[in-house]
Amino acid sequence: MMMIDKLINRIKSTENPTVVGLDPNQDFIPKFIMERVVAKYGWTLKAMGKAILIFNKMIIDEIYDLVPAVKPQIAMYERYGISGLKAYVKTIEYAKKKGLIVIGDIKRSDIASTGQAYSDGHIGRAKVGLSEFEVFKEDFITLNPYLGSDSITPFINDCKSYGKGLFVLAKTSNPNSGEIQDLLIGDVPLYEKVGELISKWGEELIGENGFSEVGAVVGATHPEQAKRLREVMPHTFFLVPGYGAQGGKAEDLAVCFNKDGLGAIVNSSRGIIAAYKKEQYKDKFTEEEFAKASRQAVIDMKNDLRRCL
Amino acid sequence: MMMIDKLINRIKSTENPTVVGLDPNQDFIPKFIMERVVAKYGWTLKAMGKAILIFNKMIIDEIYDLVPAVKPQIAMYERYGISGLKAYVKTIEYAKKKGLIVIGDIKRSDIASTGQAYSDGHIGRAKVGLSEFEVFKEDFITLNPYLGSDSITPFINDCKSYGKGLFVLAKTSNPNSGEIQDLLIGDVPLYEKVGELISKWGEELIGENGFSEVGAVVGATHPEQAKRLREVMPHTFFLVPGYGAQGGKAEDLAVCFNKDGLGAIVNSSRGIIAAYKKEQYKDKFTEEEFAKASRQAVIDMKNDLRRCL
């Protein structure tokens, strides 16, 4: 089965188009976890890698039955070097074992043979002699489109070969995203031109639910623009960042979805993984119960989204 | 001293504006190296990581006195996961010990706190409690501009704090680079608009040679466009890929330089690291002498560039 259909099936079975962003940050990791790893490894990169993995596993244990997917942001792991990236690999393995679909938020991009190297490592196979290895093992990855079609082709080929999916940046959720992405090409903003390319890249990879393996990242903080993109990209599934902490509201997200409630998956990172620090959950959950607070935050987000879709 | 000045000083002392792209690929690694690592580790990712490091060290030993810098392309290491990334880290450490400046070709890009995480790991410091760590330790890194100013700010701040430099993609060397980068904003192509942004991002970081810590990637395969960018970005140093294997000729590169011969550094990857496989060097060097072929290729490239500059 195509990966986009696996994702859609899980969205249907959980009745929840939410993806939990596993973006661990030292400030989010409860003291009892840090104390445990520091006792063993000191204040080291290795300790952080271990802490991140414990933190992620405890969250995954509480949310795997409620959401279709998780999205680890590789930067948060790469920051800690080899130790952090080991936690990235093990987080992916653990999430997949629990039945979750994993979207690796890697935003990679490079030309021809270099793009192929990224693809080999993340969604394809790395060859050593005649042996082949799955390395990072994400189900989907995010890509940056600035280099054009030949930078995307190696990934598309591996999607075909290995049943994987992509989300390519169209319109990002950050305040300065418009600086380049909103520049007008004639009457059409760049992000829409990029949307057209993404749509074209995905043409040959449309699954049984009518959506392509090649999706688009479309920020929740720009509802008018998301609405327009939804119209011009009917077969493109959206990965929507920016809900919650970045200011995107559920009301604004409705435009990313079709009438049948499909068409997008909405990410929340710190709103869920650091829920125990929020006013709303602080009194109900102790720091030791941080993962239960995350569970409650997922349920509340699900209800918030259902109210508007 | 600012990193861009260290680079320029080394370009002056070596009289060579060449950067050697350390983009190891299984096809480039001589059999005697593969046999040695496979005997110990089998056909594994670990074996590849070890082979890459041996290969890189042997090349560095032959070229460190001739060139100012090396540019490892992280994708070629990331492909092999943790084992490959360990080789990336050790390659950087070894090159720096030999006095080379290291440009990490990582083309990362992400928003605010995520951009900061990449910056912490590559050019800044990763914090664990009150301890701080230098992780990947590159001197320069490459970045993708598509997300706009706030995605670049964390890196610029770390350049200020830690004396590091950046090369941001303006115009890449691949065949489809124009698909997005050449789109016209009014009369001005996007890559030039991006060039203006890069120039602005670097304004506060201009060193004693008149160039900024914030440089630009400008492909050698587009001389007309490079010429125009050289005019509109007088304080921006260029990292120029595409020479040699990708078709960029020395004649075409002159436009990237100022009259004093400064202004750019030209990358060659497989033309140097896989020189022993080229017709030109095959008869003069055995596979065991591959690193000596690389040395000769560096000398030949230096002469080729000097002929035209």
Side-chain angles (χ1 to χ4, degrees):
Chain A
M1 192 189 293
M2 289 173 78
M3 191 53 75
I4 187 67
D5 290 316
K6 286 185 193 168
L7 178 64
I8 291 170
N9 288 352
R10 266 195 69 95
I11 290 173
K12 287 177 179 168
S13 67
T14 57
E15 300 184 304
N16 191 5
T18 297
V19 52
V20 174
L22 296 174
D23 303 1
N25 180 312
Q26 205 186 312
D27 296 338
F28 302 165
I29 299 179
K31 278 201 199 85
F32 76 94
I33 294 179
M34 284 311 294
E35 281 167 6
R36 200 196 305 176
V37 296
V38 167
K40 204 160 173 187
Y41 304 104
W43 292 98
T44 58
L45 296 172
K46 187 165 187 175
M48 270 310 296
K50 299 282 183 185
I52 286 172
L53 185 59
I54 295 169
F55 178 72
N56 284 349
K57 281 184 168 178
M58 290 181 76
I59 290 174
I60 289 169
D61 285 344
E62 286 290 341
I63 55 121
Y64 74 91
D65 57 324
L66 297 178
V67 297
V70 289
K71 181 174 77 61
Q73 165 52 258
I74 199 170
M76 299 305 189
Y77 304 78
E78 194 168 314
R79 162 192 266 160
Y80 303 111
I82 301 298
S83 302
L85 288 160
K86 282 183 179 170
Y88 181 75
V89 170
K90 287 184 180 165
T91 295
I92 291 172
E93 285 172 356
Y94 191 77
K96 287 172 78 172
K97 214 162 61 186
K98 290 283 181 178
L100 288 161
I101 287 170
V102 176
I103 303 169
D105 199 351
I106 67 173
K107 297 190 179 67
R108 298 302 192 246
S109 168
D110 218 303
I111 67 175
S113 64
T114 312
Q116 185 63 56
Y118 279 130
S119 191
D120 287 353
H122 289 280
I123 57 171
R125 299 284 186 277
K127 284 126 208 131
V128 184
L130 296 174
S131 303
E132 296 196 347
F133 298 88
E134 276 193 89
V135 182
F136 287 103
K137 302 182 192 155
E138 298 96 333
D139 296 316
F140 288 88
I141 52 173
T142 58
L143 296 178
N144 185 309
Y146 188 68
L147 279 69
S149 292
D150 53 352
S151 73
I152 307 291
T153 306
F155 297 94
I156 290 182
N157 291 340
D158 280 341
C159 285
K160 283 182 196 163
S161 301
Y162 303 109
K164 303 278 183 159
L166 306 172
F167 289 102
V168 185
L169 302 183
K171 176 71 186 170
T172 57
S173 58
N174 54 313
N176 293 158
S177 68
E179 207 169 39
I180 291 173
Q181 297 163 26
D182 292 1
L183 289 172
L184 289 177
I185 318 299
D187 295 334
V188 180
L190 178 61
Y191 65 84
E192 198 176 315
K193 286 273 177 194
V194 171
E196 285 166 17
L197 283 170
I198 294 171
S199 188
K200 203 182 79 186
W201 293 331
E203 261 172 10
E204 286 175 40
L205 284 164
I206 293 176
E208 59 193 36
N209 287 286
F211 288 101
S212 170
E213 294 279 38
V214 184
V217 173
V218 178
T221 45
H222 313 287
E224 277 310 308
Q225 300 172 338
K227 187 180 174 190
R228 174 77 186 137
L229 285 174
R230 182 69 290 162
E231 287 163 8
V232 300
M233 305 167 79
H235 300 294
T236 307
F237 214 79
F238 288 0
L239 169 61
V240 183
Y243 171 86
Q246 287 180 52
K249 293 195 188 74
E251 291 80 342
D252 300 334
L253 293 172
V255 295
C256 296
F257 291 84
N258 292 338
K259 280 175 198 153
D260 60 4
L262 286 178
I265 188 161
V266 181
N267 181 74
S268 175
S269 300
R270 84 197 90 155
I272 291 173
I273 68 172
Y276 75 103
K277 295 199 152 220
K278 286 171 72 177
E279 222 37 71
Q280 196 178 348
Y281 302 108
K282 247 185 188 165
D283 300 338
K284 291 179 202 126
F285 300 95
T286 66
E287 195 162 307
E288 283 69 23
E289 295 168 323
F290 76 97
K292 290 199 186 305
S294 296
R295 182 176 179 86
Q296 188 57 51
V298 167
I299 293 167
D300 293 344
M301 178 171 168
K302 177 177 173 176
N303 290 334
D304 187 36
L305 292 179
R306 288 171 70 89
R307 192 172 48 79
C308 302
L309 299 183
Chain B
M1 194 188 292
M2 288 173 78
M3 191 53 74
I4 186 68
D5 290 315
K6 287 185 193 169
L7 178 64
I8 291 170
N9 288 351
R10 265 194 71 94
I11 291 173
K12 287 177 179 169
S13 66
T14 57
E15 299 184 304
N16 191 5
T18 297
V19 51
V20 174
L22 296 174
D23 303 2
N25 179 311
Q26 206 185 314
D27 297 338
F28 302 164
I29 298 179
K31 277 200 199 86
F32 76 94
I33 294 179
M34 284 311 294
E35 281 167 6
R36 199 196 306 176
V37 297
V38 167
K40 202 161 172 187
Y41 304 105
W43 293 98
T44 57
L45 296 172
K46 188 166 187 174
M48 271 309 297
K50 299 282 182 186
I52 286 172
L53 186 59
I54 295 169
F55 178 73
N56 284 349
K57 281 183 169 180
M58 290 180 76
I59 290 174
I60 289 169
D61 284 344
E62 286 290 341
I63 56 119
Y64 75 90
D65 58 323
L66 297 178
V67 297
V70 289
K71 181 174 77 62
Q73 166 51 259
I74 199 170
M76 299 306 189
Y77 304 78
E78 194 169 312
R79 163 192 265 160
Y80 303 111
I82 300 299
S83 302
L85 287 161
K86 282 183 181 173
Y88 180 74
V89 170
K90 287 185 181 164
T91 295
I92 291 172
E93 285 172 356
Y94 192 77
K96 288 172 77 172
K97 215 162 59 188
K98 290 284 181 179
L100 289 161
I101 287 171
V102 177
I103 303 169
D105 198 351
I106 66 173
K107 297 190 180 68
R108 299 300 193 247
S109 168
D110 217 305
I111 67 174
S113 64
T114 312
Q116 186 63 57
Y118 279 130
S119 191
D120 286 354
H122 288 280
I123 57 170
R125 299 284 185 277
K127 284 130 209 126
V128 184
L130 296 176
S131 303
E132 296 195 348
F133 299 89
E134 275 193 272
V135 182
F136 287 102
K137 302 182 193 150
E138 297 97 334
D139 296 315
F140 288 88
I141 53 174
T142 60
L143 296 179
N144 185 310
Y146 189 67
L147 279 69
S149 292
D150 53 352
S151 73
I152 307 291
T153 306
F155 297 94
I156 290 183
N157 291 339
D158 280 341
C159 284
K160 285 182 196 164
S161 301
Y162 303 109
K164 303 278 184 159
L166 306 172
F167 289 103
V168 184
L169 303 182
K171 175 71 185 171
T172 57
S173 58
N174 55 312
N176 293 158
S177 68
E179 207 169 40
I180 291 173
Q181 297 162 27
D182 292 1
L183 289 172
L184 289 177
I185 319 299
D187 296 333
V188 181
L190 178 60
Y191 66 82
E192 198 176 315
K193 286 273 176 194
V194 171
E196 287 166 16
L197 283 170
I198 294 171
S199 188
K200 203 181 79 187
W201 293 331
E203 261 171 12
E204 286 175 43
L205 284 163
I206 294 177
E208 58 194 39
N209 287 287
F211 288 102
S212 170
E213 294 279 39
V214 184
V217 174
V218 178
T221 46
H222 313 286
E224 277 309 309
Q225 301 173 338
K227 187 181 174 189
R228 173 79 186 135
L229 285 174
R230 182 69 289 161
E231 287 163 8
V232 300
M233 304 167 79
H235 301 295
T236 307
F237 214 80
F238 288 0
L239 169 62
V240 182
Y243 171 86
Q246 287 182 49
K249 294 194 189 75
E251 292 80 343
D252 301 335
L253 293 172
V255 296
C256 297
F257 291 83
N258 292 340
K259 281 172 198 156
D260 60 3
L262 286 178
I265 188 161
V266 181
N267 180 73
S268 175
S269 301
R270 86 196 90 154
I272 292 173
I273 67 172
Y276 75 103
K277 296 201 151 218
K278 285 170 75 177
E279 223 37 71
Q280 195 179 349
Y281 303 107
K282 247 184 189 164
D283 300 338
K284 292 179 203 127
F285 301 94
T286 66
E287 193 162 310
E288 282 69 25
E289 296 169 322
F290 76 97
K292 290 199 187 304
S294 296
R295 182 176 179 85
Q296 188 58 51
V298 167
I299 293 168
D300 293 345
M301 177 171 170
K302 178 177 173 175
N303 290 332
D304 187 38
L305 292 180
R306 288 171 71 88
R307 193 174 46 81
C308 301
L309 298 184

